[in-house]
């Protein structure tokens, strides 16, 4: 029997491109702005490779049916 992990990251859509990506975590900076850590697989040549980037929250949109309650949230420490 195959056992799947308890938590698989939910999908979000990048507004500009419409690409579906996985939302790994949220982070809020010291100015109160949120950004999402997202990831996807890319196949630019022969081999697949993982891509992960941080994107402003306003560049991402929810997808109906996804559960975002368990996405980790971090608050950046003030720079002093």
């Amino acid at each position: 029997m195959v056992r799947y992990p308890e938590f698989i990251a939910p999908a979000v859509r990048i507004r500009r491109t419409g690409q579906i990506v996985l939302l790994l975590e949220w982070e809020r900076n010291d100015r109160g702005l949120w950004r999402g850590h997202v990831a996807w697989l890319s196949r630019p040549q022969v081999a697949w490779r993982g891509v992960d980037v941080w994107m402003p929250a306003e560049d991402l949109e929810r997808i109906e049916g996804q559960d975002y309650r368990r996405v980790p949230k971090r608050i950046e420490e003030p720079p002093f």
Side-chain angles (χ1 to χ4, degrees):
M1 177 177 199
V2 176
R3 299 201 75 183
Y4 294 98
E6 286 184 28
F7 176 71
I8 296 175
V12 293
R13 182 177 289 108
I14 298 174
R15 289 183 192 273
R16 184 174 35 97
T17 64
Q19 181 179 2
I20 305 296
V21 297
L22 298 175
L23 177 62
L24 304 178
E25 67 180 310
W26 288 113
E27 181 179 73
R28 188 175 72 185
N29 66 21
D30 59 343
R31 295 179 312 204
L33 300 174
W34 286 94
R35 64 183 187 157
H37 187 196
V38 298
W40 64 91
L41 290 175
S42 174
R43 189 174 178 186
Q45 303 279 321
V46 176
W48 288 94
R49 69 180 183 97
V51 179
D52 71 301
V53 298
W54 288 93
M55 301 188 78
E58 61 268 11
D59 291 349
L60 303 171
E61 63 183 20
R62 291 176 173 260
I63 296 175
E64 188 174 332
Q66 296 293 300
D67 183 3
Y68 300 101
R69 292 176 294 183
R70 295 182 63 193
V71 176
K73 294 177 180 78
R74 288 194 292 161
I75 298 177
E76 204 173 273
E77 294 294 322
F80 54 79

